[in-house]
Amino acid sequence: MPPASPGPAELVESLTAWARETPWVEWLELAGSLGRGAGDEHSDIDAGVGLLDGGDLDAVERAVTEFAPTAAVLRQPFGPETTHLVCIYQDGRQVSLVVMPSASRTGLAPEAVALVDKLDRLSTSLDRATWDPDADGRREWTFLACIAAGDALKHARRGTLWRALRSLTEARDLYLQLVAAQEQVVFPQYGAVSLENAGRPVPDGLAATLVGSPDHDAVVDAVQALLSLLAPFVAEHGLEELCRALHLDVQVDARSEESPR
């Protein structure tokens, strides 16, 4: 077994001290499992930092890579003027830092804590419902889940089974996003992650949507199991005609129409 890494606490302390001492850093928030108070020695550091005028992404990267010996760094665009900076250290620890203009944030995100807040920008909490999908958003998730399920069957018929499994996984993920929205958990767009973070049980029948090996009949059975779970959402958003066009066998009954569960 490899030796245990030092854990995230030291990195959080280094990040906090840097943010306090850097004049062009206005605020720093800690999110993820550590922000929820549920982290452990294996947790990554998920954080956001707000930069004032004069802030510099290169300087942020230099600071983060000095906290410990670094293995690799990645920058990802994360919206207008925002970058996701990922730093992996040689001992396996990880900092995932969303770098943005300080004025982009008007309060503290759900399940996060303010580590540095020089101008009290994070003194109020953002409404968790900001991240909830509206009816159009839920319809879109259901629509895309049906398309992905149809693609899974199509690829299974073609014999392109790895593509079938990919489409099945996409459809399942969208279904779990719908369940998370229905359960009113925080950040439903993360599906299974948000459900597990909220301590919600796995939906009944979900295990039947898994495929142990790429096999035509197994994929078809798994897709049909998923469609039975999707049926209430199909009924809720009136997408029965879509399913017929995609040759999906979705059995919508009166109970499904009344309460998507």
Side-chain angles (χ1 to χ4, degrees), residues 25-153:
V25 172
E26 180 187 330
W27 53 262
L28 173 70
E29 69 176 12
L30 181 65
S33 60
L34 294 170
R36 296 195 315 274
D40 57 26
E41 67 274 15
H42 304 294
S43 295
D44 299 329
I45 294 91
D46 297 298
V49 63
L51 307 187
L52 296 164
D53 290 342
D56 180 78
L57 182 59
D58 290 336
V60 175
E61 180 174 325
R62 285 195 298 272
V64 170
T65 56
E66 290 174 358
F67 295 159
T70 300
V73 179
L74 175 68
R75 294 184 183 185
Q76 295 177 305
F78 207 70
E81 301 183 274
T82 301
T83 299
H84 182 209
L85 179 65
V86 183
C87 182
I88 308 297
Y89 299 96
Q90 292 179 10
D91 56 22
R93 291 179 296 172
Q94 175 177 320
V95 167
S96 296
L97 187 63
V98 179
V99 184
M100 68 189 82
S102 61
S104 299
R105 184 58 57 80
T106 58
L108 186 65
E111 298 187 340
V113 294
L115 300 179
V116 176
D117 190 14
K118 296 174 183 176
L119 300 179
D120 294 329
R121 194 179 297 275
L122 306 183
S123 59
T124 60
S125 297
L126 295 173
D127 186 356
R128 60 158 302 281
T130 301
W131 286 267
D132 290 347
D134 59 13
D136 288 340
R138 296 191 301 273
R139 180 183 183 276
E140 179 181 346
W141 288 354
T142 307
F143 194 109
L144 294 175
C146 292
I147 290 179
D151 286 345
L153 292 178

Side-chain angles (χ1 to χ4, degrees), residues 186-211:
V186 179
F187 303 127
Q189 65 270 33
Y190 297 125
V193 173
S194 296
L195 286 167
E196 289 191 340
N197 288 345
R200 302 299 169 85
V202 173
D204 291 340
L206 189 65
T209 71
L210 301 176
V211 178

